[in-house]
């Protein structure tokens, strides 16, 4: 398998891909501007604007743990990546 690579395309011009999605979501939680907060299906949903191009929405369960997240384009609202978070811890 010498030289074998799994090619994952960038979804935006700034390197967003399935492998970089989680770090981008965590960065948005730390540094993003909170645009909107609402309740949906028993979860607290927070929409964050980490930069001029993306919109990150994170749904928190009733214990305050991220349960789901989406990264969307700000320009047209198109969802680029959707993540189900099954296990989350901070250490």
């Amino acid at each position: 398998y010498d030289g074998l690579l799994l090619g994952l395309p960038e979804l935006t011009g700034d390197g967003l891909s399935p492998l970089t999605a989680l770090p981008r979501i965590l960065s948005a939680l730390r540094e993003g501007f909170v645009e909107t907060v609402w309740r949906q299906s028993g979860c607290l949903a927070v929409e964050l604007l980490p930069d001029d191009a993306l919109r990150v929405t994170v749904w928190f369960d009733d214990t305050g743990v991220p349960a789901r997240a989406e990264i969307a384009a700000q320009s047209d609202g198109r969802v680029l990546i959707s993540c189900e978070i099954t296990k989350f811890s901070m250490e």
Side-chain angles (χ1 to χ4, degrees):
Y1 302 106
D2 186 32
L4 179 66
L5 293 173
L6 173 62
L8 295 173
E10 288 185 13
L11 300 172
T12 61
D14 65 349
L16 179 65
S17 72
L19 290 176
T20 63
L22 186 56
R24 297 287 285 270
I25 292 166
L26 294 175
S27 176
L29 286 170
R30 278 192 317 271
E31 301 166 4
F33 172 76
V34 176
E35 176 74 4
T36 311
V37 178
W38 71 94
R39 286 217 163 264
Q40 181 179 349
S41 303
C43 292
L44 179 68
V46 179
E47 186 176 63
L48 303 153
L49 303 178
D51 56 42
D52 292 337
L54 298 177
R55 184 176 300 270
V56 176
T57 306
V58 181
W59 287 264
F60 297 89
D61 68 14
D62 58 352
T63 64
V65 173
R68 193 174 122 210
E70 287 181 350
I71 300 176
Q74 274 198 45
S75 60
D76 59 7
R78 181 175 48 104
V79 174
L80 303 169
I81 292 181
S82 181
C83 303
E84 293 292 326
I85 303 169
T86 58
K87 186 174 181 181
F88 185 88
S89 67
M90 295 185 337
E91 295 177 18

